[in-house]
Amino acid sequence: MLSILFTSLLLLQSVFGEPNMEELEGTWVSKSNTVFTGPGFYDPVDELLIEPALPGISYSFTKDGYFEEALYRIKSNPKNHSCPIASITYQHGKYEILSNGSVVLKPFAVDGRQLLSDPCGYKEDEAKYVRYVQSTWFEKYQVSISDYHGRYMLQIYQFDGSPMQPLYLAYKPPLMLPTEPLNPTDKSKATSTSLRKRVRRSLENQYRTNAVRQENPVFEKLYWVGVVLLGAGSAAMLLR
Ligand SMILES: *[C@@H]1O[C@H](CO)[C@@H](O)[C@H](O)[C@H]1NC(C)=O
Ligand SMILES: *[C@@H]1O[C@H](CO)[C@@H](O)[C@H](O)[C@H]1NC(C)=O
């Protein structure tokens, strides 16, 4: 009896033990289950951010110290509550777990991208596609098994101690783009104009219109092409 108890304590210890990279390894997604790191979120070749169907966030960690961040957030617009502001953010780089359990994300500065959409804002600000780099500091984190979902759950506490929305394990090993810097040279100059147009158009279309997408056969076809490509991409990533 005691030995059973002891064994299960040991098991618990190994699941919930010292903070370590193996425990953090994987792709973690918020409840909406719509945002995943990897090729379905950011296309590094065309430098395109791909807008997910619904807001959400995802973090991936490798056990050898690399992370990827995918955020699609919508917040209310202080100027007009019926005009929310959307942001899509991609970053990747290295991370470290400090001995006291805090986690530091150190993004590769050349690769971060953010798309901001403020559809009712000033004309110039309607959609902005920018390079983005934001070092991030998490006070601590906790991995547990969610009672509700029966899945591994990652609770991150932000730099100020406030809890982030809980994340659930979706892939392990993680679904990620290559972990080395993707953009060692600045080639974005040549393409920036056309790129900006493409991204802006795609965001505006999708942002205004769930309904249109379903009624319009062209959109529908594009959607399915996207799904198939995404599927192939994920399969390729998983097979590697
Ligand atoms: C807020 O945005 C809505 C939708 O674009 C618009 O119809 C309305 O006039 C705006 N209200 C104000 C106070 O700007
Ligand atoms: C861990 O240490 C860093 C400084 O090295 C400190 O800023 C941070 O607040 C510490 N975290 C906790 C959870 O105490």
Side-chain angles (χ1 to χ4, degrees):
M1 183 63 191
L2 263 182
S3 74
I4 292 176
L5 191 62
F6 186 61
T7 317
S8 44
L9 280 179
L10 275 184
L11 269 178
L12 274 180
Q13 178 66 34
S14 69
V15 176
F16 305 120
E18 291 285 293
N20 65 72
M21 288 182 167
E22 261 155 54
E23 180 184 52
L24 215 44
E25 184 197 14
T27 293
W28 301 87
V29 303
S30 58
K31 215 164 158 191
S32 69
N33 223 33
T34 50
V35 177
F36 296 83
T37 55
F41 187 80
Y42 179 61
D43 169 358
V45 177
D46 288 330
E47 295 188 44
L48 274 180
L49 285 161
I50 300 153
E51 188 185 33
L54 288 170
I57 64 176
S58 174
Y59 282 93
S60 281
F61 300 95
T62 67
K63 59 184 172 196
D64 60 350
Y66 293 93
F67 82 95
E68 190 174 321
E69 173 185 68
L71 312 174
Y72 175 25
R73 292 174 298 188
I74 292 188
K75 57 177 185 184
S76 77
N77 187 338
K79 285 184 224 145
N80 184 339
H81 291 292
S82 51
C83 257
I85 298 169
S87 66
I88 305 181
T89 308
Y90 164 83
Q91 289 200 106
H92 76 159
K94 295 192 158 194
Y95 77 97
E96 244 180 77
I97 303 177
L98 306 184
S99 56
N100 65 8
S102 290
V103 178
V104 186
L105 308 184
K106 300 171 178 166
F108 299 133
V110 284
D111 284 343
R113 295 289 181 275
Q114 186 175 63
L115 183 61
L116 270 180
S117 167
D118 177 5
C120 302
Y122 302 104
K123 255 183 203 158
E124 288 300 311
D125 291 335
E126 246 173 36
K128 257 197 220 155
Y129 185 68
V130 293
R131 282 172 178 250
Y132 181 84
V133 54
Q134 174 75 66
S135 300
T136 304
W137 175 270
F138 298 143
E139 188 194 89
K140 60 178 179 179
Y141 73 89
Q142 233 164 26
V143 174
S144 61
I145 296 174
S146 152
D147 288 341
Y148 182 65
H149 292 84
R151 288 164 74 186
Y152 280 99
M153 184 178 104
L154 171 63
Q155 179 64 66
I156 291 174
Y157 295 86
Q158 301 174 85
F159 69 97
D160 60 356
S162 63
M164 193 182 268
Q165 55 181 311
L167 303 176
Y168 300 92
L169 185 63
Y171 294 94
K172 182 169 184 161
L175 177 66
M176 293 170 82
L177 289 163
T179 52
E180 69 265 22
L182 300 167
N183 223 345
T185 58
D186 186 356
K187 60 160 187 167
S188 63
K189 250 186 195 160
T191 57
S192 63
T193 312
S194 59
L195 173 68
R196 208 162 281 143
K197 268 184 203 151
R198 284 168 70 188
V199 173
R200 180 177 298 184
R201 164 123 21 90
S202 115
L203 183 76
E204 280 175 356
N205 283 344
Q206 298 185 27
Y207 193 56
R208 302 219 157 126
T209 63
N210 286 334
V212 173
R213 197 190 299 169
Q214 283 165 26
E215 284 162 13
N216 184 327
V218 174
F219 272 107
E220 209 155 86
K221 249 183 229 152
L222 282 177
Y223 172 77
W224 284 110
V225 169
V227 168
V228 169
L229 283 177
L230 186 56
S234 319
M237 293 297 285
L238 288 174
L239 285 174
R240 282 199 326 157

